PDB file of all heavy atoms in Angstrom:
ATOM      1  N   TRP M  12       1.135   3.955   6.029  1.00 98.00           N
ATOM      2  CA  TRP M  12      -0.276   4.315   6.104  1.00 98.00           C
ATOM      3  C   TRP M  12      -0.608   5.313   5.009  1.00 98.00           C
ATOM      4  O   TRP M  12       0.155   6.240   4.736  1.00 98.00           O
ATOM      5  CB  TRP M  12      -0.587   4.919   7.468  1.00 98.00           C
ATOM      6  CG  TRP M  12      -0.625   3.915   8.581  1.00 98.00           C
ATOM      7  CD1 TRP M  12       0.435   3.325   9.206  1.00 98.00           C
ATOM      8  CD2 TRP M  12      -1.796   3.383   9.217  1.00 98.00           C
ATOM      9  NE1 TRP M  12       0.011   2.462  10.182  1.00 98.00           N
ATOM     10  CE2 TRP M  12      -1.362   2.479  10.218  1.00 98.00           C
ATOM     11  CE3 TRP M  12      -3.167   3.587   9.047  1.00 98.00           C
ATOM     12  CZ2 TRP M  12      -2.258   1.783  11.028  1.00 98.00           C
ATOM     13  CZ3 TRP M  12      -4.067   2.906   9.852  1.00 98.00           C
ATOM     14  CH2 TRP M  12      -3.611   2.010  10.831  1.00 98.00           C
ATOM     15  N   SER M  13      -1.775   5.129   4.393  1.00 97.00           N
ATOM     16  CA  SER M  13      -2.192   5.984   3.291  1.00 97.00           C
ATOM     17  C   SER M  13      -3.704   5.914   3.148  1.00 97.00           C
ATOM     18  O   SER M  13      -4.350   5.013   3.702  1.00 97.00           O
ATOM     19  CB  SER M  13      -1.520   5.531   1.991  1.00 97.00           C
ATOM     20  OG  SER M  13      -1.935   4.208   1.657  1.00 97.00           O
ATOM     21  N   PRO M  14      -4.304   6.841   2.384  1.00 97.00           N
ATOM     22  CA  PRO M  14      -5.741   6.763   2.132  1.00 97.00           C
ATOM     23  C   PRO M  14      -6.094   5.539   1.295  1.00 97.00           C
ATOM     24  O   PRO M  14      -5.235   4.964   0.605  1.00 97.00           O
ATOM     25  CB  PRO M  14      -6.033   8.048   1.354  1.00 97.00           C
ATOM     26  CG  PRO M  14      -4.886   8.952   1.633  1.00 97.00           C
ATOM     27  CD  PRO M  14      -3.705   8.059   1.820  1.00 97.00           C
ATOM     28  N   GLY M  15      -7.352   5.147   1.330  1.00 95.00           N
ATOM     29  CA  GLY M  15      -7.815   4.035   0.518  1.00 95.00           C
ATOM     30  C   GLY M  15      -7.548   4.270  -0.962  1.00 95.00           C
ATOM     31  O   GLY M  15      -7.683   5.382  -1.466  1.00 95.00           O
ATOM     32  N   GLY M  16      -7.135   3.214  -1.659  1.00 91.00           N
ATOM     33  CA  GLY M  16      -6.842   3.292  -3.082  1.00 91.00           C
ATOM     34  C   GLY M  16      -5.394   3.570  -3.403  1.00 91.00           C
ATOM     35  O   GLY M  16      -4.970   3.382  -4.551  1.00 91.00           O
ATOM     36  N   PHE M  17      -4.611   3.988  -2.417  1.00 92.00           N
ATOM     37  CA  PHE M  17      -3.227   4.340  -2.711  1.00 92.00           C
ATOM     38  C   PHE M  17      -2.399   3.128  -3.098  1.00 92.00           C
ATOM     39  O   PHE M  17      -1.527   3.224  -3.971  1.00 92.00           O
ATOM     40  CB  PHE M  17      -2.577   5.048  -1.522  1.00 92.00           C
ATOM     41  CG  PHE M  17      -1.111   5.311  -1.739  1.00 92.00           C
ATOM     42  CD1 PHE M  17      -0.698   6.335  -2.570  1.00 92.00           C
ATOM     43  CD2 PHE M  17      -0.147   4.510  -1.144  1.00 92.00           C
ATOM     44  CE1 PHE M  17       0.653   6.570  -2.805  1.00 92.00           C
ATOM     45  CE2 PHE M  17       1.201   4.733  -1.364  1.00 92.00           C
ATOM     46  CZ  PHE M  17       1.597   5.763  -2.192  1.00 92.00           C
ATOM     47  N   THR M  18      -2.628   1.983  -2.473  1.00 87.00           N
ATOM     48  CA  THR M  18      -1.790   0.817  -2.766  1.00 87.00           C
ATOM     49  C   THR M  18      -1.923   0.392  -4.222  1.00 87.00           C
ATOM     50  O   THR M  18      -0.965  -0.094  -4.815  1.00 87.00           O
ATOM     51  CB  THR M  18      -2.122  -0.355  -1.836  1.00 87.00           C
ATOM     52  OG1 THR M  18      -3.527  -0.625  -1.905  1.00 87.00           O
ATOM     53  CG2 THR M  18      -1.739  -0.030  -0.403  1.00 87.00           C
ATOM     54  N   ASP M  19      -3.092   0.576  -4.815  1.00 86.00           N
ATOM     55  CA  ASP M  19      -3.260   0.263  -6.242  1.00 86.00           C
ATOM     56  C   ASP M  19      -2.412   1.185  -7.108  1.00 86.00           C
ATOM     57  O   ASP M  19      -1.830   0.760  -8.118  1.00 86.00           O
ATOM     58  CB  ASP M  19      -4.732   0.380  -6.648  1.00 86.00           C
ATOM     59  CG  ASP M  19      -5.604  -0.675  -6.001  1.00 86.00           C
ATOM     60  OD1 ASP M  19      -5.079  -1.749  -5.643  1.00 86.00           O
ATOM     61  OD2 ASP M  19      -6.816  -0.439  -5.859  1.00 86.00           O
ATOM     62  N   ILE M  20      -2.345   2.454  -6.720  1.00 86.00           N
ATOM     63  CA  ILE M  20      -1.505   3.415  -7.449  1.00 86.00           C
ATOM     64  C   ILE M  20      -0.037   3.009  -7.351  1.00 86.00           C
ATOM     65  O   ILE M  20       0.686   2.977  -8.350  1.00 86.00           O
ATOM     66  CB  ILE M  20      -1.718   4.830  -6.896  1.00 86.00           C
ATOM     67  CG1 ILE M  20      -3.152   5.293  -7.147  1.00 86.00           C
ATOM     68  CG2 ILE M  20      -0.727   5.812  -7.514  1.00 86.00           C
ATOM     69  CD1 ILE M  20      -3.510   6.596  -6.455  1.00 86.00           C
ATOM     70  N   ALA M  21       0.392   2.679  -6.142  1.00 85.00           N
ATOM     71  CA  ALA M  21       1.792   2.298  -5.939  1.00 85.00           C
ATOM     72  C   ALA M  21       2.134   1.027  -6.704  1.00 85.00           C
ATOM     73  O   ALA M  21       3.211   0.909  -7.310  1.00 85.00           O
ATOM     74  CB  ALA M  21       2.071   2.116  -4.444  1.00 85.00           C
ATOM     75  N   ALA M  22       1.213   0.068  -6.703  1.00 82.00           N
ATOM     76  CA  ALA M  22       1.468  -1.209  -7.366  1.00 82.00           C
ATOM     77  C   ALA M  22       1.607  -1.052  -8.873  1.00 82.00           C
ATOM     78  O   ALA M  22       2.294  -1.851  -9.526  1.00 82.00           O
ATOM     79  CB  ALA M  22       0.336  -2.190  -7.051  1.00 82.00           C
ATOM     80  N   SER M  23       0.981  -0.018  -9.430  1.00 83.00           N
ATOM     81  CA  SER M  23       1.033   0.176 -10.883  1.00 83.00           C
ATOM     82  C   SER M  23       2.416   0.589 -11.370  1.00 83.00           C
ATOM     83  O   SER M  23       2.689   0.567 -12.572  1.00 83.00           O
ATOM     84  CB  SER M  23       0.005   1.233 -11.308  1.00 83.00           C
ATOM     85  OG  SER M  23       0.381   2.529 -10.869  1.00 83.00           O
ATOM     86  N   LEU M  24       3.308   0.953 -10.455  1.00 81.00           N
ATOM     87  CA  LEU M  24       4.631   1.441 -10.831  1.00 81.00           C
ATOM     88  C   LEU M  24       5.677   0.342 -10.944  1.00 81.00           C
ATOM     89  O   LEU M  24       6.794   0.599 -11.389  1.00 81.00           O
ATOM     90  CB  LEU M  24       5.108   2.476  -9.804  1.00 81.00           C
ATOM     91  CG  LEU M  24       4.221   3.712  -9.632  1.00 81.00           C
ATOM     92  CD1 LEU M  24       4.768   4.595  -8.518  1.00 81.00           C
ATOM     93  CD2 LEU M  24       4.124   4.502 -10.933  1.00 81.00           C
ATOM     94  N   VAL M  25       5.324  -0.859 -10.532  1.00 80.00           N
ATOM     95  CA  VAL M  25       6.293  -1.954 -10.559  1.00 80.00           C
ATOM     96  C   VAL M  25       5.677  -3.170 -11.246  1.00 80.00           C
ATOM     97  O   VAL M  25       4.487  -3.208 -11.542  1.00 80.00           O
ATOM     98  CB  VAL M  25       6.748  -2.334  -9.125  1.00 80.00           C
ATOM     99  CG1 VAL M  25       7.533  -1.199  -8.494  1.00 80.00           C
ATOM    100  CG2 VAL M  25       5.558  -2.693  -8.252  1.00 80.00           C
ATOM    101  N   THR M  26       6.507  -4.187 -11.512  1.00 73.00           N
ATOM    102  CA  THR M  26       6.029  -5.412 -12.143  1.00 73.00           C
ATOM    103  C   THR M  26       5.180  -6.222 -11.167  1.00 73.00           C
ATOM    104  O   THR M  26       5.122  -5.935  -9.966  1.00 73.00           O
ATOM    105  CB  THR M  26       7.209  -6.278 -12.590  1.00 73.00           C
ATOM    106  OG1 THR M  26       7.939  -6.689 -11.414  1.00 73.00           O
ATOM    107  CG2 THR M  26       8.139  -5.511 -13.523  1.00 73.00           C
ATOM    108  N   GLU M  27       4.556  -7.262 -11.681  1.00 73.00           N
ATOM    109  CA  GLU M  27       3.739  -8.103 -10.808  1.00 73.00           C
ATOM    110  C   GLU M  27       4.579  -8.710  -9.694  1.00 73.00           C
ATOM    111  O   GLU M  27       4.167  -8.742  -8.529  1.00 73.00           O
ATOM    112  CB  GLU M  27       3.066  -9.219 -11.614  1.00 73.00           C
ATOM    113  CG  GLU M  27       2.133 -10.085 -10.779  1.00 73.00           C
ATOM    114  CD  GLU M  27       1.350 -11.086 -11.615  1.00 73.00           C
ATOM    115  OE1 GLU M  27       1.411 -11.004 -12.856  1.00 73.00           O
ATOM    116  OE2 GLU M  27       0.701 -11.949 -11.015  1.00 73.00           O
ATOM    117  N   ASN M  28       5.780  -9.175 -10.031  1.00 70.00           N
ATOM    118  CA  ASN M  28       6.655  -9.714  -8.996  1.00 70.00           C
ATOM    119  C   ASN M  28       7.074  -8.612  -8.024  1.00 70.00           C
ATOM    120  O   ASN M  28       7.181  -8.830  -6.813  1.00 70.00           O
ATOM    121  CB  ASN M  28       7.895 -10.347  -9.620  1.00 70.00           C
ATOM    122  CG  ASN M  28       8.822 -10.948  -8.565  1.00 70.00           C
ATOM    123  OD1 ASN M  28       8.434 -11.876  -7.859  1.00 70.00           O
ATOM    124  ND2 ASN M  28      10.033 -10.417  -8.464  1.00 70.00           N
ATOM    125  N   GLY M  29       7.289  -7.426  -8.584  1.00 73.00           N
ATOM    126  CA  GLY M  29       7.646  -6.294  -7.737  1.00 73.00           C
ATOM    127  C   GLY M  29       6.558  -5.971  -6.734  1.00 73.00           C
ATOM    128  O   GLY M  29       6.837  -5.576  -5.604  1.00 73.00           O
ATOM    129  N   ARG M  30       5.308  -6.144  -7.148  1.00 78.00           N
ATOM    130  CA  ARG M  30       4.200  -5.889  -6.221  1.00 78.00           C
ATOM    131  C   ARG M  30       4.243  -6.852  -5.041  1.00 78.00           C
ATOM    132  O   ARG M  30       3.971  -6.472  -3.906  1.00 78.00           O
ATOM    133  CB  ARG M  30       2.866  -6.030  -6.957  1.00 78.00           C
ATOM    134  CG  ARG M  30       2.661  -5.006  -8.048  1.00 78.00           C
ATOM    135  CD  ARG M  30       1.436  -5.318  -8.900  1.00 78.00           C
ATOM    136  NE  ARG M  30       1.500  -4.576 -10.152  1.00 78.00           N
ATOM    137  CZ  ARG M  30       0.642  -4.723 -11.150  1.00 78.00           C
ATOM    138  NH1 ARG M  30      -0.355  -5.588 -11.023  1.00 78.00           N
ATOM    139  NH2 ARG M  30       0.766  -4.013 -12.246  1.00 78.00           N
ATOM    140  N   ASN M  31       4.593  -8.084  -5.327  1.00 81.00           N
ATOM    141  CA  ASN M  31       4.657  -9.081  -4.255  1.00 81.00           C
ATOM    142  C   ASN M  31       5.735  -8.735  -3.241  1.00 81.00           C
ATOM    143  O   ASN M  31       5.516  -8.796  -2.032  1.00 81.00           O
ATOM    144  CB  ASN M  31       4.906 -10.471  -4.844  1.00 81.00           C
ATOM    145  CG  ASN M  31       3.748 -10.949  -5.694  1.00 81.00           C
ATOM    146  OD1 ASN M  31       2.605 -10.546  -5.493  1.00 81.00           O
ATOM    147  ND2 ASN M  31       4.038 -11.810  -6.662  1.00 81.00           N
ATOM    148  N   VAL M  32       6.922  -8.357  -3.750  1.00 86.00           N
ATOM    149  CA  VAL M  32       8.012  -8.059  -2.821  1.00 86.00           C
ATOM    150  C   VAL M  32       7.825  -6.687  -2.173  1.00 86.00           C
ATOM    151  O   VAL M  32       8.283  -6.454  -1.054  1.00 86.00           O
ATOM    152  CB  VAL M  32       9.400  -8.179  -3.498  1.00 86.00           C
ATOM    153  CG1 VAL M  32       9.702  -9.623  -3.818  1.00 86.00           C
ATOM    154  CG2 VAL M  32       9.508  -7.305  -4.729  1.00 86.00           C
ATOM    155  N   MET M  33       7.138  -5.758  -2.859  1.00 90.00           N
ATOM    156  CA  MET M  33       6.828  -4.488  -2.225  1.00 90.00           C
ATOM    157  C   MET M  33       5.930  -4.712  -1.007  1.00 90.00           C
ATOM    158  O   MET M  33       6.075  -4.046   0.023  1.00 90.00           O
ATOM    159  CB  MET M  33       6.148  -3.526  -3.205  1.00 90.00           C
ATOM    160  CG  MET M  33       5.920  -2.136  -2.610  1.00 90.00           C
ATOM    161  SD  MET M  33       5.008  -1.013  -3.690  1.00 90.00           S
ATOM    162  CE  MET M  33       6.248  -0.672  -4.934  1.00 90.00           C
ATOM    163  N   ALA M  34       5.026  -5.675  -1.137  1.00 89.00           N
ATOM    164  CA  ALA M  34       4.144  -6.005  -0.013  1.00 89.00           C
ATOM    165  C   ALA M  34       4.903  -6.672   1.131  1.00 89.00           C
ATOM    166  O   ALA M  34       4.388  -6.740   2.253  1.00 89.00           O
ATOM    167  CB  ALA M  34       3.010  -6.909  -0.485  1.00 89.00           C
ATOM    168  N   GLU M  35       6.097  -7.168   0.850  1.00 91.00           N
ATOM    169  CA  GLU M  35       6.951  -7.677   1.921  1.00 91.00           C
ATOM    170  C   GLU M  35       7.733  -6.531   2.571  1.00 91.00           C
ATOM    171  O   GLU M  35       7.897  -6.501   3.793  1.00 91.00           O
ATOM    172  CB  GLU M  35       7.937  -8.705   1.365  1.00 91.00           C
ATOM    173  CG  GLU M  35       7.296  -9.967   0.805  1.00 91.00           C
ATOM    174  CD  GLU M  35       8.329 -10.894   0.180  1.00 91.00           C
ATOM    175  OE1 GLU M  35       9.537 -10.693   0.435  1.00 91.00           O
ATOM    176  OE2 GLU M  35       7.925 -11.792  -0.574  1.00 91.00           O
ATOM    177  N   ALA M  36       8.196  -5.613   1.753  1.00 93.00           N
ATOM    178  CA  ALA M  36       8.983  -4.496   2.280  1.00 93.00           C
ATOM    179  C   ALA M  36       8.123  -3.563   3.121  1.00 93.00           C
ATOM    180  O   ALA M  36       8.574  -3.049   4.155  1.00 93.00           O
ATOM    181  CB  ALA M  36       9.614  -3.715   1.133  1.00 93.00           C
ATOM    182  N   TYR M  37       6.871  -3.326   2.667  1.00 95.00           N
ATOM    183  CA  TYR M  37       5.960  -2.432   3.370  1.00 95.00           C
ATOM    184  C   TYR M  37       4.799  -3.222   3.965  1.00 95.00           C
ATOM    185  O   TYR M  37       4.284  -4.151   3.346  1.00 95.00           O
ATOM    186  CB  TYR M  37       5.379  -1.387   2.418  1.00 95.00           C
ATOM    187  CG  TYR M  37       6.381  -0.395   1.864  1.00 95.00           C
ATOM    188  CD1 TYR M  37       6.598  -0.279   0.489  1.00 95.00           C
ATOM    189  CD2 TYR M  37       7.095   0.445   2.710  1.00 95.00           C
ATOM    190  CE1 TYR M  37       7.495   0.643  -0.026  1.00 95.00           C
ATOM    191  CE2 TYR M  37       8.000   1.365   2.211  1.00 95.00           C
ATOM    192  CZ  TYR M  37       8.192   1.457   0.843  1.00 95.00           C
ATOM    193  OH  TYR M  37       9.086   2.367   0.344  1.00 95.00           O
ATOM    194  N   ALA M  38       4.381  -2.809   5.150  1.00 96.00           N
ATOM    195  CA  ALA M  38       3.120  -3.289   5.716  1.00 96.00           C
ATOM    196  C   ALA M  38       2.087  -2.199   5.443  1.00 96.00           C
ATOM    197  O   ALA M  38       1.980  -1.220   6.198  1.00 96.00           O
ATOM    198  CB  ALA M  38       3.267  -3.548   7.210  1.00 96.00           C
ATOM    199  N   PHE M  39       1.376  -2.332   4.317  1.00 96.00           N
ATOM    200  CA  PHE M  39       0.426  -1.303   3.908  1.00 96.00           C
ATOM    201  C   PHE M  39      -0.778  -1.288   4.840  1.00 96.00           C
ATOM    202  O   PHE M  39      -1.362  -2.331   5.145  1.00 96.00           O
ATOM    203  CB  PHE M  39      -0.034  -1.547   2.471  1.00 96.00           C
ATOM    204  CG  PHE M  39       1.021  -1.259   1.439  1.00 96.00           C
ATOM    205  CD1 PHE M  39       1.669  -2.296   0.765  1.00 96.00           C
ATOM    206  CD2 PHE M  39       1.380   0.043   1.132  1.00 96.00           C
ATOM    207  CE1 PHE M  39       2.640  -2.039  -0.192  1.00 96.00           C
ATOM    208  CE2 PHE M  39       2.357   0.313   0.176  1.00 96.00           C
ATOM    209  CZ  PHE M  39       2.986  -0.733  -0.487  1.00 96.00           C
ATOM    210  N   ARG M  40      -1.151  -0.079   5.279  1.00 97.00           N
ATOM    211  CA  ARG M  40      -2.302   0.106   6.143  1.00 97.00           C
ATOM    212  C   ARG M  40      -3.161   1.239   5.575  1.00 97.00           C
ATOM    213  O   ARG M  40      -2.626   2.215   5.042  1.00 97.00           O
ATOM    214  CB  ARG M  40      -1.865   0.461   7.573  1.00 97.00           C
ATOM    215  CG  ARG M  40      -1.001  -0.607   8.238  1.00 97.00           C
ATOM    216  CD  ARG M  40      -1.829  -1.838   8.606  1.00 97.00           C
ATOM    217  NE  ARG M  40      -1.044  -2.832   9.330  1.00 97.00           N
ATOM    218  CZ  ARG M  40      -0.421  -3.865   8.761  1.00 97.00           C
ATOM    219  NH1 ARG M  40      -0.472  -4.014   7.437  1.00 97.00           N
ATOM    220  NH2 ARG M  40       0.261  -4.731   9.488  1.00 97.00           N
ATOM    221  N   THR M  41      -4.471   1.114   5.716  1.00 97.00           N
ATOM    222  CA  THR M  41      -5.397   2.108   5.176  1.00 97.00           C
ATOM    223  C   THR M  41      -5.871   3.044   6.273  1.00 97.00           C
ATOM    224  O   THR M  41      -6.474   2.605   7.261  1.00 97.00           O
ATOM    225  CB  THR M  41      -6.608   1.429   4.520  1.00 97.00           C
ATOM    226  OG1 THR M  41      -6.151   0.601   3.446  1.00 97.00           O
ATOM    227  CG2 THR M  41      -7.574   2.466   3.970  1.00 97.00           C
ATOM    228  N   ALA M  42      -5.579   4.333   6.104  1.00 98.00           N
ATOM    229  CA  ALA M  42      -6.071   5.346   7.029  1.00 98.00           C
ATOM    230  C   ALA M  42      -7.511   5.700   6.659  1.00 98.00           C
ATOM    231  O   ALA M  42      -7.891   5.671   5.489  1.00 98.00           O
ATOM    232  CB  ALA M  42      -5.187   6.591   6.961  1.00 98.00           C
ATOM    233  N   ARG M  43      -8.289   6.050   7.675  1.00 98.00           N
ATOM    234  CA  ARG M  43      -9.688   6.426   7.465  1.00 98.00           C
ATOM    235  C   ARG M  43      -9.981   7.714   8.224  1.00 98.00           C
ATOM    236  O   ARG M  43      -9.494   7.906   9.338  1.00 98.00           O
ATOM    237  CB  ARG M  43     -10.627   5.303   7.914  1.00 98.00           C
ATOM    238  CG  ARG M  43     -10.511   4.064   7.037  1.00 98.00           C
ATOM    239  CD  ARG M  43     -11.409   2.921   7.506  1.00 98.00           C
ATOM    240  NE  ARG M  43     -11.409   1.814   6.550  1.00 98.00           N
ATOM    241  CZ  ARG M  43     -10.467   0.892   6.469  1.00 98.00           C
ATOM    242  NH1 ARG M  43      -9.450   0.918   7.315  1.00 98.00           N
ATOM    243  NH2 ARG M  43     -10.531  -0.061   5.559  1.00 98.00           N
ATOM    244  N   GLU M  44     -10.787   8.564   7.612  1.00 97.00           N
ATOM    245  CA  GLU M  44     -11.082   9.863   8.198  1.00 97.00           C
ATOM    246  C   GLU M  44     -11.603   9.723   9.630  1.00 97.00           C
ATOM    247  O   GLU M  44     -12.527   8.943   9.896  1.00 97.00           O
ATOM    248  CB  GLU M  44     -12.112  10.604   7.352  1.00 97.00           C
ATOM    249  CG  GLU M  44     -12.423  11.998   7.894  1.00 97.00           C
ATOM    250  CD  GLU M  44     -13.482  12.719   7.086  1.00 97.00           C
ATOM    251  OE1 GLU M  44     -14.192  12.066   6.294  1.00 97.00           O
ATOM    252  OE2 GLU M  44     -13.599  13.946   7.261  1.00 97.00           O
ATOM    253  N   GLY M  45     -10.971  10.466  10.528  1.00 97.00           N
ATOM    254  CA  GLY M  45     -11.420  10.507  11.907  1.00 97.00           C
ATOM    255  C   GLY M  45     -11.022   9.326  12.763  1.00 97.00           C
ATOM    256  O   GLY M  45     -11.252   9.346  13.975  1.00 97.00           O
ATOM    257  N   ALA M  46     -10.444   8.300  12.157  1.00 98.00           N
ATOM    258  CA  ALA M  46     -10.049   7.096  12.903  1.00 98.00           C
ATOM    259  C   ALA M  46      -8.587   7.221  13.316  1.00 98.00           C
ATOM    260  O   ALA M  46      -7.671   6.971  12.513  1.00 98.00           O
ATOM    261  CB  ALA M  46     -10.271   5.851  12.057  1.00 98.00           C
ATOM    262  N   SER M  47      -8.351   7.598  14.556  1.00 98.00           N
ATOM    263  CA  SER M  47      -6.983   7.801  15.036  1.00 98.00           C
ATOM    264  C   SER M  47      -6.251   6.473  15.171  1.00 98.00           C
ATOM    265  O   SER M  47      -6.859   5.429  15.416  1.00 98.00           O
ATOM    266  CB  SER M  47      -7.003   8.524  16.385  1.00 98.00           C
ATOM    267  OG  SER M  47      -7.607   9.800  16.277  1.00 98.00           O
ATOM    268  N   PHE M  48      -4.934   6.524  15.010  1.00 98.00           N
ATOM    269  CA  PHE M  48      -4.095   5.344  15.203  1.00 98.00           C
ATOM    270  C   PHE M  48      -2.761   5.797  15.777  1.00 98.00           C
ATOM    271  O   PHE M  48      -2.451   6.995  15.797  1.00 98.00           O
ATOM    272  CB  PHE M  48      -3.908   4.563  13.900  1.00 98.00           C
ATOM    273  CG  PHE M  48      -3.362   5.382  12.751  1.00 98.00           C
ATOM    274  CD1 PHE M  48      -1.999   5.426  12.479  1.00 98.00           C
ATOM    275  CD2 PHE M  48      -4.220   6.101  11.917  1.00 98.00           C
ATOM    276  CE1 PHE M  48      -1.493   6.167  11.427  1.00 98.00           C
ATOM    277  CE2 PHE M  48      -3.724   6.848  10.854  1.00 98.00           C
ATOM    278  CZ  PHE M  48      -2.360   6.876  10.607  1.00 98.00           C
TER     279      PHE M  48
END
């Protein structure tokens, strides 16, 4: 879980193929202010 926009930052650190497999390793979720989970 991270704030909006973080996944784009993380994806910029790896190759295009790396982005695909990173999305398999992590289930990215967007946190929002005041929205408890």
Side-chain angles (χ1 to χ4, degrees):
W12 286 77
S13 63
F17 175 76
T18 54
D19 293 335
I20 295 171
S23 70
L24 301 176
V25 294
T26 64
E27 183 173 352
N28 181 63
R30 296 171 197 174
N31 294 333
V32 291
M33 185 184 288
E35 296 176 15
Y37 294 120
F39 288 107
R40 300 288 184 266
T41 299
R43 293 178 173 81
E44 182 182 15
S47 299
F48 55 94

